[in-house]
Amino acid sequence: MLSTAAIVAAGVGLVPGVANATGQDGAKGMDHRGVSAPDLDLSKIAAKAYKEGTTTSSPAAKTVHPAAKGGQKAADAAAEPTVALEAGATSAHGVELKLAVTSDPGTALGVQVEWGDGSQIQVGANGPTNLTENHVYAKAGVYTVKVSLVDGSGVRGTNQIVVQTAGNEFTPHTPTRLLDTRAGIGAPAKKVPAFGTARIKVGGAAQIPAGVTAVALNVTVTNPSKDGHVRVYAEGGEVPTTSNVNYTPGQTVPNMVIASVGQNGYVDIYNHGAGELDLIADVTGYFSKSAASGYTSLNPSRIVDTREGLGTGTGKVPGYGSFSTQVHGRGGVPASAKAVALNVTVHEPNMEGHLTVYPGGAAPTSSNLNFGQGQTIANSVIVPIGPDGKISIRNGAGAGTHVIVDVVGYYSPESESALIRTAPSRWFDTREWGNPLDGRSYIYGRVAGGDTNVTALVTNATVTNPEGTGFLTVSPDPNSWAAYEGGWDSWPTPPNSSNLNWTYRKTVPNLVQASSGVNNVIDFWNMGYQSTDLLVDTFGFYAKN
């Protein structure tokens, strides 16, 4: 088990977990807990995300004065009141507007603010006045705010400013291949060299509009000649130290990625490995400032298991076979949902192949999950829901395999939470603590100091150095942070779902959109019986207001 001594020696400053008392483990047979991960303080990260690209201004000189009566020229601007405007995002949907009113001393004016969403306020200004007003929009987007200076004679001057929320909403996209270095799709038909970079055009490609801010991609590494990993990030930004897909020679490995898009519309994939490789990237949706679908995080729930006949027939999906399953109305997904966030697992495949998850109709040429014979492997999937409320899954292998599907969230116009993009950063790495996470144990971490506006994290979890087979389950913790600090916490029950599966000594990553639950505490469960190291990187979060 992770020890307090190891943490203190490492200088990490974590709050240690408590060894579980005998009898608390119940029927699960779990009797250890890891230490807590650091509190992921999003305040500084969020402030930077709100500021970058969302602060605008309109100087006093842009105040427009109405023409005087009788067709005379506009009144002398020097004698008329003016208002300077400055605006910036303060939260996913909130903005702050600063107003600097200039007028003769003792001049009483009404300051009318029209927020651009049909709502307005009016405040007073007596002579030169500085004001700050805040507003929260119902939906993420770009709005024109108009400010009018009025008195008994009518409007004396107006100024306006365009504001945009920090939040980004999701639009599903039919699964489409944007990059395949084997076939020359989106890039020259040649391998990405060691420590080289492939570019993906997102904005303006495949009917994706220009100006999108982030994209949901399934990134697949294939034919690598040496060990390594890839890093996905917005073109124009610094190469991050985080990872998205880890690979070994000859391996084909996919992983879902939510990546920021550069201002030029491109995403970069950096090959941090000493050998060359091929890269494939399929898009399933994108984020923008336009009002579309927000995100609702759910406690993980199983909706398909071919081993038991859940959600479809019992038995393996035959080679090149497919099935459809109902999503609307199951696992907490409402009929208004446009897309669903899933974790899809292949179990006991009879030969190597891939799965394709799609909204129905003809199966696209994209893939979501690649697997080898006998391999149990999971991958995160974001997929549009068909008009009949179903999704379809096709087995691209020539022989049968079991398929398991867990739903973790959905996107709908009614969902409140919008994506806040952040620079990729590492939350924690058990290798730095000096001890791996024990089997049948968990690490708990607090998110945003308990800020209930934050509903979920966009993370990439990577298991490395496992001492046996197992799987990871990520779920919200029913205990508060205060309960852990006070020692009156109770032993949580992990859900019947998985986020990634591993075998002895294999390094396996997967995207995890982790619900922060009611307490803003997240658990990372090692559901195997042997220890493993765990790395968690963050790429953004969802927030309501």
Side-chain angles (χ1 to χ4, degrees):
M1 186 175 76
L2 291 164
S3 67
T4 304
I7 295 164
V8 173
V12 181
L14 306 182
V15 179
V18 181
N20 191 40
T22 303
Q24 269 192 309
D25 55 347
K28 296 293 182 182
M30 299 176 185
D31 58 358
H32 295 89
R33 175 185 301 141
V35 298
S36 70
D39 182 359
L40 183 63
D41 183 1
L42 298 173
S43 58
K44 293 181 180 179
I45 298 174
K48 183 178 180 182
Y50 300 150
K51 183 178 179 181
E52 291 180 350
T54 60
T55 301
T56 56
S57 62
S58 183
K62 289 192 174 182
T63 303
V64 177
H65 301 104
K69 293 180 179 180
Q72 298 177 5
K73 294 182 179 180
D76 183 7
E80 289 295 305
T82 63
V83 58
L85 306 175
E86 181 180 314
T90 57
S91 64
H93 297 107
V95 296
E96 179 183 76
L97 178 66
K98 295 182 178 180
L99 309 92
V101 178
T102 301
S103 65
D104 292 334
T107 301
L109 293 170
V111 182
Q112 180 177 293
V113 181
E114 300 173 72
W115 292 106
D117 60 353
S119 63
Q120 63 180 37
I121 61 169
Q122 182 164 315
V123 294
N126 194 344
T129 307
N130 292 323
L131 301 168
T132 299
E133 300 296 333
N134 289 276
H135 184 66
V136 177
Y137 292 96
K139 297 290 288 182
V142 179
Y143 299 88
T144 299
V145 178
K146 181 180 179 181
V147 177
S148 301
L149 304 177
V150 298
D151 62 12
S153 65
V155 176
R156 298 284 302 276
T158 61
N159 199 352
Q160 63 184 33
I161 189 172
V162 175
V163 301
Q164 58 179 336
T165 63
N168 305 271
E169 297 202 349
F170 182 75
T171 300
H173 190 284
T174 301
T176 304
R177 185 144 294 173
L178 297 183
L179 175 72
D180 190 339
T181 60
R182 303 168 305 176
I185 297 174
K190 61 179 182 180
K191 290 188 174 183
V192 180
F195 306 107
T197 301
R199 304 172 71 217
I200 306 175
K201 183 178 182 180
V202 176
Q207 298 183 328
I208 300 171
V212 298
T213 55
V215 63
L217 292 172
N218 196 70
V219 177
T220 303
V221 170
T222 190
N223 305 318
S225 58
K226 294 186 178 180
D227 290 344
H229 66 266
V230 299
R231 306 172 185 179
V232 187
Y233 61 102
E235 184 162 281
E238 295 182 0
V239 179
T241 58
T242 52
S243 64
N244 294 96
V245 187
N246 301 71
Y247 57 82
T248 56
Q251 192 179 27
T252 297
V253 189
N255 197 14
M256 193 73 199
V257 175
I258 293 179
S260 291
V261 178
Q263 292 185 354
N264 63 356
Y266 282 83
V267 169
D268 286 348
I269 305 181
Y270 170 66
N271 174 21
H272 188 75
E276 60 183 8
L277 51 76
D278 280 309
L279 286 171
I280 305 163
D282 301 315
V283 62
T284 61
Y286 57 85
F287 295 84
S288 70
K289 297 296 181 184
S290 300
S293 290
Y295 183 67
T296 296
S297 184
L298 298 170
N299 288 338
S301 177
R302 185 147 293 173
I303 62 171
V304 171
D305 191 338
T306 60
R307 299 169 302 179
E308 303 174 359
L310 176 65
T312 186
T314 304
K316 291 184 176 182
V317 182
Y320 307 120
S322 63
F323 68 92
S324 295
T325 190
Q326 184 72 28
V327 174
H328 283 163
R330 299 185 63 215
V333 180
S336 61
K338 304 298 183 183
V340 64
L342 307 169
N343 204 69
V344 180
T345 303
V346 164
H347 181 62
E348 295 181 346
N350 291 339
M351 66 180 299
E352 66 177 14
H354 67 271
L355 285 188
T356 299
V357 186
Y358 56 105
T365 57
S366 59
S367 63
N368 297 93
L369 177 58
N370 298 73
F371 51 85
Q373 182 176 352
Q375 182 183 21
T376 296
I377 186 171
N379 198 28
S380 182
V381 173
I382 297 174
V383 62
I385 300 172
D388 57 357
K390 298 180 179 181
I391 61 169
S392 297
I393 299 176
R394 181 180 183 270
N395 176 14
T401 183
H402 281 300
V403 176
I404 303 162
V405 179
D406 300 315
V407 60
V408 299
Y410 63 86
Y411 298 88
S412 78
E414 289 76 26
S415 296
E416 295 181 315
S417 297
L419 174 69
I420 305 293
R421 301 173 299 145
T422 63
S425 62
R426 182 143 292 170
W427 187 6
F428 65 87
D429 181 347
T430 61
R431 297 173 302 180
E432 297 178 353
W433 301 349
N435 291 87
L437 176 63
D438 269 0
R440 314 301 279 180
S441 179
Y442 71 99
I443 292 172
Y444 55 97
R446 185 168 68 163
V447 178
D451 183 355
T452 56
N453 279 325
V454 176
T455 59
L457 283 179
V458 180
T459 72
N460 195 73
T462 303
V463 162
T464 190
N465 307 319
E467 294 296 328
T469 60
F471 64 94
L472 183 78
T473 292
V474 184
S475 60
D477 195 313
N479 296 294
S480 67
W481 195 255
Y484 280 113
E485 290 184 319
W488 44 272
D489 54 285
S490 59
W491 190 257
T493 300
N496 180 32
S497 62
S498 63
N499 292 93
L500 65 89
N501 300 69
W502 65 82
T503 55
Y504 176 70
R505 288 293 173 181
K506 296 295 184 181
T507 297
V508 184
N510 201 8
L511 176 78
V512 179
Q513 299 208 87
S515 170
S516 52
V518 296
N519 294 310
N520 281 76
V521 179
I522 295 175
D523 294 336
F524 296 85
W525 291 86
N526 173 5
M527 299 298 288
Y529 286 92
Q530 291 82 29
S531 65
T532 185
D533 277 311
L534 176 64
L535 298 68
V536 176
D537 298 321
T538 63
F539 299 88
F541 60 94
Y542 294 94
K544 292 186 290 187
N545 296 321

